[in-house]
Amino acid sequence: MDDDLDAALAAMGPRLRRLRRHRGLTLAGLAAETGISESTLSRLESGRRRPNLELLLPLARAHGMPLEELIGAPQTGDPRVHLRPIRRDGMTYIRLTQRAGGTQAYKLIIPGAAGPAEPVPQRHEGYEWLYVLNGRLRFVLGDQDLTLAPGEVAEFDTRVPHWMGNAGPTPVELLILFGPQGERAHVRARPRPHGTAGRT
């Protein structure tokens, strides 16, 4: 048991550094989010400071993940997935990927709109793919103002100013794939049945 604990603690520093860099944060930026000093964060990441709950709880909150995921706790054999919603700007995000780095998957729920909202477009590094499950999504991308219905898909470079809101009174549910390094979703076409190539 002590060996497992030591191994988990030894892996914490690199894990914390990867999470911070994945979000594009400096030590100063993470210090501002968590209230933990830059020097303490630096010692945690280098392994010169042992993490404790007082430090790990604000870090888990800042990174939007459960504490057991932050520390890399081993699986207990329970096959159920425990999804924890994150509420931000009136919307609910449910993270569907359990690993840090690479393409991330989310379910996003936008509550019904009482009236038209004023778009506030944002831009950042990455590439995003979205699929509307339910409701009607108002999607502003650059100078385009679109309404997407269930089953419709959009993909876009997140460096282009964009904004998502609800186009109706019922909640909108959508799936989002986000690649922070600009990864795109690749859709493979269904192969043709043998013997059909070249026929007109």
Side-chain angles (χ1 to χ4, degrees), residues 19-189:
L19 285 169
R20 175 177 61 78
R21 288 179 174 171
H22 171 68
R23 295 182 56 213
L25 283 176
T26 61
L27 284 170
L30 187 56
E33 275 193 37
T34 60
I36 301 169
S37 71
E38 288 182 57
S39 61
T40 298
L41 290 170
S42 177
R43 290 200 305 274
L44 281 172
E45 290 186 2
S46 66
R48 290 178 289 134
R49 168 89 185 245
R50 280 175 73 99
N52 56 35
L53 275 178
E54 187 178 345
L55 298 171
L56 291 174
L57 286 172
L59 284 167
R61 244 188 330 267
H63 292 309
M65 63 175 54
L67 182 60
E68 61 269 19
E69 184 182 338
L70 178 71
I71 64 175
Q75 296 295 322
T76 61
D78 184 347
R80 293 173 295 178
V81 177
H82 302 282
L83 301 175
R84 305 210 176 183
I86 301 165
R87 289 180 178 81
R88 186 178 300 151
D89 300 325
M91 299 184 281
T92 302
Y93 294 82
I94 301 171
R95 186 175 176 184
L96 303 176
T97 41
Q98 299 301 310
R99 63 183 176 83
T103 301
Q104 300 293 308
Y106 297 88
K107 180 177 181 182
L108 173 60
I109 303 168
I110 307 174
E118 183 63 34
V120 183
Q122 304 289 325
R123 57 202 285 168
H124 51 86
E125 288 294 321
Y127 203 85
E128 199 161 299
W129 180 94
L130 60 88
Y131 176 85
V132 180
L133 295 166
N134 293 300
R136 290 164 54 79
L137 178 73
R138 183 177 175 200
F139 177 49
V140 174
L141 180 66
D143 58 0
Q144 300 178 80
D145 194 336
L146 309 167
T147 299
L148 303 180
E152 290 195 282
V153 175
E155 62 176 326
F156 58 98
D157 187 326
T158 55
R159 291 173 298 183
V160 177
H162 59 279
W163 176 88
M164 287 179 275
N166 199 321
T170 59
V172 175
E173 298 179 46
L174 57 148
L175 294 177
I176 294 176
L177 294 179
F178 172 68
Q181 302 304 321
E183 300 92 335
R184 295 184 180 216
H186 297 284
V187 180
R188 180 174 294 180

